[in-house]
Amino acid sequence: MSNTLIATRPLAEADSTHIDAQRGGIPDAFVHVYTALLVVGAVIVFLQFQHQFDEIRAALLSTTWGTTLLVLSLSVLAFKVGFLVFLLVHFLRYRETPSVDDELPTCTVIVPAYNEGRLVYDTLVSVARSSYPRHKLQVLAIDDGSTDDTWAWIQRAAQRLGDLVTVHQQPRNMGKRHALHWGFTQGRGEVFVTIDSDSVVDPDTLRNLVSPFVTDPRCGAVAGNVKVLNAESAIIPKMLSVSFAYSFGVVRAAQSTMGSVLCTPGALAAYRRDAVLACLDRWVNQTFLGVPSDIGEDRAMTNLILKQGRHVLFQRNAVVYTNTPENYRTLRKMYTRWERSNVRENIVMSTFAFTKFREAECLRPRLLLLNQWIAVLWAVPALLTAVLLLAAYPRLFLSSMVVSVALLSLIPATYYAATQCWRRSLWIFSYNIFYAFTLFWITPFAIATARTRGWLTR
């Protein structure tokens, strides 16, 4: 992590985090050993129950619904394997846009905050330390009716940073979407950049993030590269750091070569001003089944910009470090919010993706959407099948799950080992095991409660 990032965090907090990591952290070597032992043991058990596969196959083929389920399962598996190859091919084609210097547009950075305390101060200081030309930069900090000392920290940052920062306090908590809306209506920049108030950026991040707007007139939005700030503070952030690396470094990089990144992250994203203003009223007043939408503002804006026929890109060199959940309760709330947003915005994207919504080819964005839908809809029959197999063949089911997770973890682990740190690469296996056995119910639950409002993690 850069010296700038360390400097923006309270010294006492950084020291205590380091001590906690030393005392309570699990060594990476231990993760390697337990992963190897678990996988080897699972393979041995798996091989001992081959005859049960014959029983399961015979049972499925003896009924119409069983045959249908088997055919669907194999079809989904074939699509997923093919899609993975499709994704990796496009990932290998990815090249980030080189940073420009003299032609940078004016830029408004919008930082909405709610009950973030000291973190929003660190966010604003990191933005101020950016290498972006100061005369082209405007920073708007919005307190969305916080009940803690967030407003005091925003004011403190404004005192330190001077006229660079304009502050605003909402009369009450109205939600992130409305806080951003205030920033969009007040911003003067040709490009809007949104940054979460628990995140810090590298000095070159803004310059790198905005450069595609200069070089590509079709570009309507750019996604930043999100990394975990608190990776040393607990086991969950350490696992998420590997998951995030793959999600952004591979998945969004591949989507970028298609001009179709499906979600610009709330932690860091940039939007062409004209693109935002063209859909601002629809975005802020969006509803789902008659209920105002107060979640998924990032993917909703991305959908509306894609619908305009503009491209949405990813900049790997535009790095933001963000705080992630450190306990199960907060993590499952975050994932529930994300999955509800996926359900809603898949529906929205389906209304235009199968039309000629842009001059460039539209097949690849449609394939991305199809993969999204399969991931959502297949979660329900997959969950029911898993419950039945667990009840009938527990040892076979558990061992096959571990083996499957190991295979699925190979690509993200290899990517992380090659690009960042091989010692920590196998944390993705722990993450996938953790998700498979404790968060498997999130997507079916999100489908059933897609209409539910609420931010959840606040």
Side-chain angles (χ1 to χ4, degrees):
M1 192 176 294
S2 70
N3 291 334
T4 300
L5 296 180
I6 295 174
T8 61
R9 299 180 67 190
L11 181 60
E13 179 187 345
D15 289 343
S16 65
T17 297
H18 176 67
I19 292 172
D20 289 342
Q22 286 183 323
R23 292 178 178 174
I26 296 178
D28 298 325
F30 174 83
V31 177
H32 292 183
V33 173
Y34 107 81
T35 299
L37 292 176
L38 191 58
V39 172
V40 170
V43 170
I44 293 173
V45 174
F46 181 77
L47 294 176
Q48 289 179 341
F49 291 94
Q50 285 297 304
H51 65 282
Q52 292 188 348
F53 278 110
D54 295 332
E55 294 179 11
I56 295 171
R57 183 169 60 252
L60 289 174
L61 293 176
S62 65
T63 62
T64 302
W65 71 266
T67 303
T68 303
L69 179 61
L70 183 61
V71 171
L72 285 176
S73 299
L74 293 175
S75 299
V76 169
L77 178 61
F79 175 85
K80 283 294 186 179
V81 172
F83 183 83
L84 179 60
V85 174
F86 167 79
L87 202 67
L88 292 177
V89 168
H90 284 82
F91 158 70
L92 294 174
R93 296 175 180 172
Y94 172 77
R95 299 293 183 274
E96 59 201 23
T97 302
S99 181
V100 301
D101 294 317
D102 299 331
E103 302 176 7
L104 287 170
T106 55
C107 176
T108 296
V109 178
I110 306 171
V111 182
Y114 177 69
N115 287 354
E116 292 291 2
R118 164 73 192 242
L119 290 173
V120 66
Y121 177 87
D122 296 343
T123 302
L124 294 172
V125 169
S126 76
V127 172
R129 289 177 175 173
S130 169
S131 62
Y132 208 87
R134 192 178 179 95
H135 68 281
K136 293 185 175 182
L137 188 62
Q138 175 193 26
V139 181
L140 304 178
I142 303 104
D143 174 34
D144 186 30
S146 298
T147 56
D148 64 355
D149 58 351
T150 295
W151 178 238
W153 281 109
I154 289 177
Q155 291 178 308
R156 183 172 175 178
Q159 291 173 358
R160 173 177 173 177
L161 303 176
D163 59 3
L164 176 65
V165 178
T166 299
V167 302
H168 172 72
Q169 188 176 36
Q170 299 277 69
R172 66 184 187 283
N173 177 236
M174 302 173 65
K176 184 179 180 181
R177 193 176 298 229
H178 285 276
L180 287 171
H181 180 263
W182 185 90
F184 288 142
T185 58
Q186 300 300 312
R188 302 187 301 268
E190 299 167 85
V191 172
F192 295 131
V193 173
T194 62
I195 301 178
D196 278 350
S197 53
D198 58 355
S199 308
V200 292
V201 295
D202 280 340
D204 293 333
T205 290
L206 291 183
R207 181 184 295 270
N208 295 335
L209 185 71
V210 168
S211 291
F213 295 106
V214 178
T215 60
D216 186 355
R218 301 170 301 174
C219 178
V222 179
N225 188 7
V226 181
K227 298 187 178 184
V228 176
L229 177 62
N230 57 332
E232 299 301 328
S233 61
I235 293 175
I236 288 178
K238 187 171 288 191
M239 293 190 295
L240 289 175
S241 65
V242 188
S243 175
F244 274 33
Y246 177 74
S247 175
F248 286 89
V250 175
V251 177
R252 279 178 173 80
Q255 293 175 352
S256 185
T257 65
M258 311 173 207
S260 304
V261 173
L262 296 187
C263 183
T264 52
L268 179 67
Y271 306 99
R272 195 180 293 275
R273 178 189 182 89
D274 293 346
V276 171
L277 296 183
C279 62
L280 189 57
D281 288 342
R282 282 174 290 165
W283 175 76
V284 76
N285 295 312
Q286 183 184 29
T287 61
F288 179 77
L289 298 179
V291 175
S293 294
D294 50 8
I295 62 172
E297 75 293 329
D298 44 8
R299 188 162 178 212
M301 179 62 77
T302 307
N303 262 341
L304 288 169
I305 290 176
L306 283 171
K307 186 177 181 180
Q308 295 174 30
R310 302 177 189 260
H311 287 193
V312 180
L313 307 178
F314 166 71
Q315 276 290 77
R316 183 167 50 200
N317 58 359
V319 178
V320 61
Y321 299 84
T322 192
N323 269 347
T324 57
E326 298 183 3
N327 58 68
Y328 176 79
R329 179 175 179 271
T330 308
L331 181 68
R332 58 98 175 164
K333 286 185 175 182
M334 181 183 77
Y335 277 142
T336 300
R337 188 180 79 242
W338 286 1
E339 286 303 304
R340 284 174 180 162
S341 174
N342 278 337
V343 173
R344 297 179 183 192
E345 296 305 324
N346 282 349
I347 295 173
V348 172
M349 188 174 178
S350 298
T351 63
F352 67 85
F354 297 97
T355 67
K356 184 63 177 176
F357 66 96
R358 67 182 190 184
E359 293 182 3
E361 63 88 22
C362 301
L363 177 60
R364 288 177 293 179
R366 292 167 186 165
L367 288 175
L368 295 176
L369 175 61
L370 179 60
N371 180 66
Q372 290 279 97
W373 269 124
I374 289 176
V376 170
L377 298 179
W378 188 247
V380 176
L383 176 59
L384 295 175
T385 302
V387 171
L388 293 174
L389 288 176
L390 180 61
Y393 306 96
R395 285 182 291 179
L396 176 62
F397 172 77
L398 294 174
S399 61
S400 61
M401 280 290 292
V402 173
V403 173
S404 299
V405 165
L407 292 174
L408 291 172
S409 302
L410 281 176
I411 293 177
T414 301
Y415 172 77
Y416 195 84
T419 60
Q420 298 193 44
C421 177
W422 70 268
R423 290 185 298 105
R424 298 191 174 187
S425 60
L426 288 187
W427 277 104
I428 190 63
F429 175 82
S430 302
Y431 168 79
N432 286 333
I433 285 287
F434 175 72
Y435 191 98
F437 288 101
T438 68
L439 296 166
F440 59 88
W441 54 272
I442 291 289
T443 300
F445 177 74
I447 295 172
T449 61
R451 189 172 180 268
T452 303
R453 299 182 62 184
W455 188 254
L456 291 178
T457 54
R458 298 298 190 200

